Every structure is written in structure tokens, then in C-alpha cells.
Amino acid sequence: MPEAVPSAERTPSQAEVAADAVAHAGPFESVDEVVTALREHGYIADTRLATTVFLLTRLDKPLLLEGPAGVGKTELAKMLALVTGRRFLRLQCYEGQDETKALYEWDYGKQLMYTQILREKIGQVVEDAPDLATAVERVGAQESVFFSERFLAPRPLLEAIRSDEPCVLLIDEVDRADEALEAVLLETLGEYQISVPEVGTFVAKHRPYVLLTSNNTRDLAAALKRRCLHLFLDYPSAQRELEIVRSKKTGLADQVAEELVAVVRGLRELELRKAPSISETIDWARTLAVLGVDELDPRILSDTVSVVVKYDKDVRKALEAIPHLVDPNAVVEEHGHGHGHGHEHGHEHGHDHGHEGGHTHDRPQDDDPPARSSRPAGGDPDDGDVDGRARRAAKDRPGRHADGYGNSAAAGKVSPSIRSVTPGQGARSFGARRRPL
């Protein structure tokens, strides 16, 4: 005998079951359909990524994408909204961000304006109050009027929950936000609801597709990861990156684009502060196409390397590596001061030049002036006499003054009252000073 169904339980109707199945069916019938749909909109996804997106749409779970900057994490959220026809909402995280910028805040300006408009009505409420306590109590009873949805300013999270139409919510660079924001996200990501103490709890009418991205600048809380599907999105294979570049219609010949991708992948193997991203590879391809490049050579790559390398030290490493990346047998020539790659050399212009990178002046070694040189008295102050010894020695010569100067008795004679001063005594009396090298 089959067990009786308790009277308190109600068997769902066929229509309700069908409606629930449609709601959770998702926009894609298979993983291959995800690949095709994204490709049609210019996003080249591999099977692993497409499988994760398919599960996101079927399981109603947020997706956490981790990986280096510029591998297509943010772009995936945009493409998913475009492919599914959903509204796109974005919360850009940053250091010091609090919950009011992510969830909601009260529109104080609007509240104040209404208070001024309703001042007369408020006066009527408290005009016959016998004492101050009673007046405050009456005003407090009306507090809910000013803390209602009318004065609630929704931010991206609340907006996604309250949205009347399905949406895609991107929580971008969540690792940049403080850990306190992660705690705020737990309710939203786990139950798709947000509690507002003054109003109540808002539950999502249509569960949004939620994607969180992280560049791994810090570890995220285990509680946050537990609520999400997870995928580490790394740089693509050479073949898929080439396919991405070709799909963007950069105007660069296929053979040149293939060589460029190989160069970029070689740069990523260097110990750079920031490795070139896929979007920067595309920008470099477009740059070379605009310049009419039909064959890669170290010179043109060196002149345009700043498109993909953004830090001075990285530029130096890239400039050294590029000739070998183009041709492993290339002989690298020393760069002089005439090259125009736009990176700084940190020259300190003084008497002694400390040029980084081994740059040298084009002049014979024999013509180099000594570090210190003597000069006659009254010479140019910039002629190399660093510590002034030559000038002091010249002033110590007997009979150097004209007649009548000081105690001089006659022309060419030194007064007996003035004894001669040796150069050594002069140097000691002046306290010879040296400039630091």
C-alpha cells in the first residue's frame, strides 16, 4: 500500500512543475551552445570555461573567477549579459568601500526636502502636545514615513535583487575591497536577498547571474568561496590567443599576428611587474596594423613596446628580450642616447655621470678630463677646479698685490711686516674642502 500524503502537503500541479522547469532550464541547452553563443559575440571560450558558465545558468550559484588581470574575466560577464539579453549591473570594488556603496543608502537630501515641505503638517501633529516628551513620541511614531522605500537609494547589489527584469550582476575585483564587504555579500550570494533594518527583507524576484572577479591580490574568505562556483582563468594557449586576436579584426596579417602572439608569450615568461594581457595583445596588433607593419622586426617592436609593457623596469627587460624573441640568433647592439623608446634612464647630471644601462659618450678616452684640474686664478668657476686649491695657491704668491695695497712699501716689494705664506700654510688656513664624489 502506498503511503498517504499528509493533508498539509500539496502536490504541485503539472503547470507549476513545468513553469519551475522552464525557470531553471537556463538560456543554453548544452555546453557547446555556450561556446557557439559566446563566439558569435566575439568571446572565444574553451570547453572548461563554457562548462562553468553552463553550470552557472543551471544551478543558480554565483561564479568566482580568479586569475591575472586582463584574461577576460570582466569581459565574460558583459558577454553573458549580451548573449542572454539580460540587464547588466556592475559593482566596482575598491579599498575602503563600505556597505552603503554596495547595498543602499538613505537619500538624506530628499528626506530633508520632504521635512521642510511637511513642516506645517508636523506642527499640527504636535501642537496640542502637553509636554516635550509627548511631542517627541508623536513625531517618532511618524518615523517610518521617512524611512521607507521612497527614500531608499539602491546601489548595485540591492538594485539587482529588486530588479523587475532578469540581470547579470558583476562584482568586479572583489579582492580590492575590505574583508568587511565580503561579510555583507554572504547573505546576498547565499540566499539572493538583502535585509534593510528600517524596511524589511528584499528577496530577488528573478535570481541574477552573479559573477565575481579577483586578481588574487589577497586571499578571499572561505565562506565566500563556499557559496560560489570557482574557476581560475589563466592566459590562454597560443592557438586560442591567436584566434582571439583574429576575431577582433585588428587588420594585422595572420602570419604577423602569429609571430606577435609568440613574442607576447615570451614577454610573459620574463619576471615583469605586470605581464601583458590579452587585451594589450590586441592593442599591439592594432597598433602595428595602423603603422602598416607587414613583417616583425626588433626595431618596430621596441618602438611600440609601451603598448603592452607599462613600467620602466619592465620596459628595459622587454627591450633586452625582444631581439631574441624575434630571432634567437640576433646580435644585440648597444643603444646610445639617440634611441627613442620613451623610457627614463635616471641620469644624474653633475660632474660625474652615472648612466644606467651602460650608455657611454661618443668621444675618445684620451679626451676625457680628469676628475680635478688646476686652473689659473680668475678662471671660469666651472672649468673643473672642484676644491679651489689652484686658486688658493695662486693667491699665496709673494708680491701679487699692486703698490700701496695694505702695508706694501714699494712696487714689487713686500712690506717687512708681512711675512711670506707658503702654499701648504695657505691650504691649511683655508681648510681645503672637497665636494663629495
Side-chain angles (χ1 to χ4, degrees):
M1 294 286 295
E3 294 184 4
V5 178
S7 58
E9 294 184 5
R10 185 180 66 86
T11 303
S13 65
Q14 292 184 348
E16 290 174 331
V17 172
D20 185 68
V22 170
H24 290 82
F28 307 112
E29 295 295 333
S30 65
V31 173
D32 291 338
E33 187 175 336
V34 176
V35 174
T36 302
L38 292 176
R39 183 183 295 271
E40 288 175 354
H41 289 80
Y43 192 94
I44 311 300
D46 58 14
T47 305
R48 179 166 160 266
L49 176 58
T51 301
T52 308
V53 172
F54 180 76
L55 294 175
L56 161 68
T57 61
R58 288 300 182 96
L59 299 178
D60 283 336
K61 288 180 70 69
L63 170 59
L64 172 60
L65 293 169
E66 294 189 283
V71 294
K73 302 187 296 295
T74 301
E75 191 68 15
L76 176 61
K78 295 178 180 179
M79 288 299 105
L80 182 60
L82 188 62
V83 167
T84 59
R86 291 189 167 214
R87 180 187 179 192
F88 179 69
L89 295 173
R90 177 174 182 171
L91 172 64
Q92 182 64 52
C93 299
Y94 54 88
E95 186 177 355
Q97 187 177 38
D98 58 13
E99 62 182 40
T100 61
K101 300 300 182 183
L103 293 172
Y104 65 90
E105 59 184 341
W106 293 105
D107 191 340
Y108 296 113
K110 191 174 182 180
Q111 288 173 326
L112 180 60
M113 181 184 70
Y114 271 66
T115 302
Q116 296 296 327
I117 293 174
L118 300 174
R119 181 187 302 172
E120 182 178 347
K121 192 65 178 178
I122 294 174
Q124 294 175 4
V125 171
V126 300
E127 64 180 356
D128 59 344
D131 51 38
L132 182 60
T134 304
V136 170
E137 185 176 350
R138 290 183 181 180
V139 172
Q142 308 298 323
E143 188 178 74
S144 59
V145 174
F146 292 95
F147 286 93
S148 61
E149 290 190 51
R150 182 189 302 274
F151 301 101
L152 197 62
R155 296 309 178 207
L157 294 183
L158 182 58
E159 193 171 353
I161 296 298
R162 294 177 60 193
S163 178
D164 292 327
E165 55 182 315
C167 65
V168 172
L169 172 62
L170 170 63
I171 304 175
D172 207 13
E173 297 184 328
V174 66
D175 54 322
R176 292 185 179 274
D178 297 336
E179 294 181 3
L181 183 61
E182 292 185 39
V184 172
L185 293 174
L186 296 182
E187 179 186 14
T188 305
L189 301 182
E191 303 170 20
Y192 290 96
Q193 67 180 35
I194 291 177
S195 298
V196 181
E198 298 87 349
V199 178
T201 300
F202 294 93
V203 181
K205 299 177 182 178
H206 306 279
R207 289 196 169 190
Y209 295 154
V210 182
L211 291 89
L212 302 90
T213 70
S214 168
N215 294 334
N216 289 328
T217 58
R218 68 173 177 85
D219 290 333
L220 300 177
L224 179 66
K225 288 189 173 184
R226 190 171 59 248
R227 285 166 170 77
C228 303
L229 299 171
H230 182 269
L231 180 66
F232 186 88
L233 198 59
D234 206 347
Y235 294 110
S237 65
Q239 185 59 37
R240 191 160 73 91
E241 186 165 8
L242 177 59
E243 191 176 357
I244 293 172
V245 173
R246 287 172 176 170
S247 70
K248 298 303 180 181
K249 309 295 182 184
T250 61
L252 199 63
D254 286 350
Q255 181 60 36
V256 181
E258 184 175 355
E259 295 173 2
L260 181 65
V261 168
V263 170
V264 172
R265 294 179 67 83
L267 292 178
R268 288 183 188 139
E269 293 178 0
L270 304 177
E271 294 183 359
L272 302 180
R273 179 175 174 181
K274 184 197 174 297
S277 66
I278 300 174
S279 61
E280 288 167 334
T281 304
I282 296 170
D283 290 341
W284 207 2
R286 287 173 176 159
T287 299
L288 296 176
V290 168
L291 295 175
V293 174
D294 54 11
E295 181 180 356
L296 290 190
D297 63 77
R299 181 191 59 81
I300 192 62
L301 292 179
S302 296
D303 289 343
T304 57
V305 72
S306 58
V307 174
V308 296
V309 182
K310 309 299 184 181
Y311 296 95
D312 182 54
K313 290 183 179 179
D314 288 355
V315 169
R316 297 176 199 169
K317 292 180 181 179
L319 291 176
E320 293 175 0
I322 281 175
H324 298 288
L325 293 176
V326 177
D327 179 8
N329 300 318
V331 177
V332 182
E333 297 181 0
E334 291 291 334
H335 289 287
H337 286 282
H339 66 76
H341 302 305
H343 61 279
E344 299 176 0
H345 299 284
H347 298 309
E348 296 179 0
H349 294 285
H351 290 281
D352 296 320
H353 297 275
H355 298 288
E356 296 180 8
H359 299 295
T360 57
H361 293 285
D362 297 330
R363 68 181 181 201
Q365 193 71 20
D366 293 338
D367 292 343
D368 290 344
R372 295 181 179 88
S373 61
S374 60
R375 57 184 174 85
D380 187 352
D382 294 328
D383 64 359
D385 185 15
V386 177
D387 56 13
R389 287 185 177 184
R391 296 192 65 180
R392 291 195 292 273
K395 291 181 178 180
D396 288 340
R397 291 197 308 272
R400 65 188 183 279
H401 297 300
D403 293 348
Y405 182 86
N407 293 324
S408 298
K413 296 182 180 181
V414 181
S415 171
S417 62
I418 301 178
R419 61 184 179 86
S420 60
V421 181
T422 65
Q425 292 171 322
R428 287 194 299 272
S429 63
F430 276 92
R433 292 170 295 178
R434 293 176 179 269
R435 284 179 54 182
L437 298 178

